[in-house]
Amino acid sequence: MAAVTLSVSTVKPLGERVFVKVSESEEKTAGGILLPDTAKEKPQVGEVVAAGPGKRNDDGSRSEMEVKVGDKVLYSKYAGTDIKLGGDEYVLLAEKDILAIVN
């Protein structure tokens, strides 16, 4: 079996999938208490680094994606597939799992 080297530039989502770089989780609470790794919640905000061409319609055409590369998005808590590349965390998820674009 051949070894495969992945980088962000080599990942191209298919269909209506989106590749998102996960934002860093909070290290402290509002009161200043440091959180251990086991107590941190999985972040739900990230930046779109790659997007697929869109969902294919019944007539063969493609629906345009609502998000684009560079958008900061809020996504469902347990959605997608977690991927770690070069120390950074990413999530590959379907466009329907994106809840909002954050400004």
Side-chain angles (χ1 to χ4, degrees), residues 49-103:
V49 293
K55 182 179 180 179
R56 191 169 296 278
N57 298 323
D58 292 336
D59 64 359
S61 64
R62 292 209 182 256
S63 297
E64 188 176 327
M65 297 284 279
E66 292 189 52
V67 295
K68 60 186 180 308
V69 174
D71 284 348
K72 199 166 199 166
V73 295
L74 174 69
Y75 54 90
S76 298
K77 190 170 197 124
Y78 300 106
T81 302
D82 297 327
I83 300 169
K84 194 166 194 168
L85 294 176
D88 292 326
E89 291 189 28
Y90 297 87
V91 63
L92 183 63
L93 46 92
E95 186 182 30
K96 68 179 180 172
D97 293 325
I98 296 176
L99 305 173
I101 296 175
V102 182
N103 290 331

Side-chain angles (χ1 to χ4, degrees), residues 9 26-27 47 52 61 80-81 87 99:
S9 61
E26 292 294 320
E27 301 274 332
E47 182 181 344
S61 64
T81 302
L99 305 173

